[in-house]
Amino acid sequence: MLMKMENILSVAYAISNADYMIAVTGAGISKESNVPTFRGEDGLWRNYDAMDLATPDAFRRNPALVWEWYTWRQRLIAECEPNPAHFTLASWEKRGLLKALITQNVDGLHIRAGSTNVYEVHGDIWALKCTSCKYKGSLSSPAIGIPTCPLCSNNLRPDVVWFGESLDRAALSKVYNELEHADVCLVIGTSALVQPAATFPLIVKQRGGQLIEINVEPTPLSSIVDFHISGKAGKILPTLDSILDQQ
Ligand code: BV8
Ligand code: ZN
């Protein structure tokens, strides 16, 4: 994995001189924690495409199947640990280097790594909400079958954002507020294909901010970022951290 030294040194310089650095992350940052991504082989479960299962229609048609998929992911995530990429971002937040973390991941690994100012824009796989009343709850272990509402006995669903569903308005306005403040935005492990999250880095760029992309492959964003570091987040972020320590 060739990391052009001058490239990573200039990225370290941009990070250490940032006034308000934020990060936008996707499934790729949890790949080294063995959480499957949504692309290619990873994105398949029993030959069902994740995009087909993560929809209100799929749940209406077959709630048991959708819950089987979420239970499978919960079991997997329960066995996973945050990796050095998650821990580096958490330590940068503690050192005041990283102001906010916007993630598309529902695995909760950023929070388990110690990050606090985290916006889980697509929800949390352990959170629950009722399909008919206002009940909200959370699971401490993987679901068994279809959980039912303790208030109205209707089916509960994972409190995540499915395709075709809008993101939480209140959370979204806080996210836009962070994007408007940022002068540096790390874009880590996302294919930048799912809206509106894929637009978040563009808002920083349009306001004159710098974009630093970390990904094992190019994405639709790679043509507009200021720096693209090709490689695994779990290797690159600790390397950047050690360079920052030497400065
Ligand atoms: C909405 C929660 C209003 C559930 C998720 C046509 C045009 C534009 C938009 C649309 C359109 N038609 C429909 C839409 C809207 C749709 C959309 O964007 N569809 C896409 C597919 C075109 N968006 C929505 O529906 C959103 N709501 O828009 O509401 C509205 C409503 C109706 C119609 C119009 C508008 C809601 C989207 C949220 C859906 N929920 N997750 C769950 O998880 O169960 S999305 C889910 O998939 C993830 O949260 C994430 O967002 C996305 C996957 O993307 P990534 O995280 O980037 O992961 P991916 O696997 O794709 O890529 C991994 C990357 O990591 C790769 O680049 C890889 O190279 C890299 N990588 C791998 N290993 C490493 C690495 N990088 C670094 N290190 C490594 N080791
Ligand atoms: Zn209910």
Side-chain angles (χ1 to χ4, degrees):
M1 170 179 52
L2 173 57
M3 275 189 283
K4 294 196 285 311
M5 262 344 267
E6 81 277 356
N7 195 10
I8 204 156
L9 289 177
S10 23
V11 165
Y13 181 81
I15 290 173
S16 52
N17 289 285
D19 293 330
Y20 201 92
M21 180 170 75
I22 67 170
V24 172
T25 68
I29 200 169
S30 295
K31 176 73 177 166
E32 292 154 87
S33 296
N34 300 324
V35 177
T37 67
F38 285 69
R39 298 289 98 191
E41 277 308 300
D42 268 19
L44 289 180
W45 174 76
R46 290 203 202 146
N47 299 328
Y48 289 97
D49 185 318
M51 305 278 188
D52 300 336
L53 287 168
T55 65
D57 279 0
F59 192 76
R60 252 189 304 280
R61 274 196 312 274
N62 189 340
L65 177 73
V66 171
W67 264 114
E68 267 184 71
W69 180 51
Y70 279 97
T71 301
W72 173 76
R73 293 169 67 191
Q74 288 169 345
R75 286 208 185 98
L76 216 152
I77 290 167
E79 303 303 314
C80 293
E81 292 301 325
N83 66 60
H86 299 104
F87 288 118
T88 302
L89 294 179
S91 76
W92 286 356
E93 184 187 1
K94 282 192 185 52
R95 285 155 54 184
L97 265 177
L98 186 70
K99 308 300 188 200
L101 202 166
I102 300 162
T103 188
Q104 299 165 76
N105 303 343
V106 298
D107 58 31
L109 293 183
H110 283 300
I111 292 168
R112 282 172 56 190
S115 290
T116 56
N117 191 20
V118 179
Y119 299 87
E120 297 178 312
V121 293
H122 291 164
D124 168 10
I125 200 166
W126 300 104
L128 295 167
K129 68 179 179 182
C130 181
T131 50
S132 69
C133 77
K134 290 262 164 288
Y135 173 81
K136 288 210 174 207
S138 64
L139 290 164
S140 52
S141 60
I144 296 155
I146 301 176
T148 53
C149 176
L151 303 183
C152 73
S153 306
N154 279 294
N155 287 345
L156 295 179
R157 55 164 281 182
D159 193 358
V160 296
V161 180
W162 282 333
F163 288 95
E165 294 182 326
S166 307
L167 278 58
D168 176 76
R169 213 167 289 292
L172 210 46
S173 64
K174 289 189 190 133
V175 163
Y176 285 124
N177 184 41
E178 297 286 2
L179 296 168
E180 272 138 31
H181 277 93
D183 62 343
V184 172
C185 179
L186 301 171
V187 185
I188 308 168
T190 183
S191 57
L193 295 173
V194 172
Q195 301 297 346
T199 307
F200 294 164
L202 305 179
I203 294 168
V204 175
K205 185 70 182 173
Q206 277 149 12
R207 299 176 58 79
Q210 285 186 304
L211 298 184
I212 299 169
E213 183 176 50
I214 297 171
N215 197 304
V216 291
E217 62 186 29
T219 75
L221 280 176
S222 303
S223 57
I224 64 148
V225 299
D226 301 271
F227 302 98
H228 173 90
I229 304 187
S230 179
K232 295 183 172 184
K235 300 277 177 304
I236 290 176
L237 284 167
T239 304
L240 279 168
D241 193 40
S242 56
I243 294 170
L244 290 171
D245 288 351
Q246 282 145 31
Q247 284 185 341

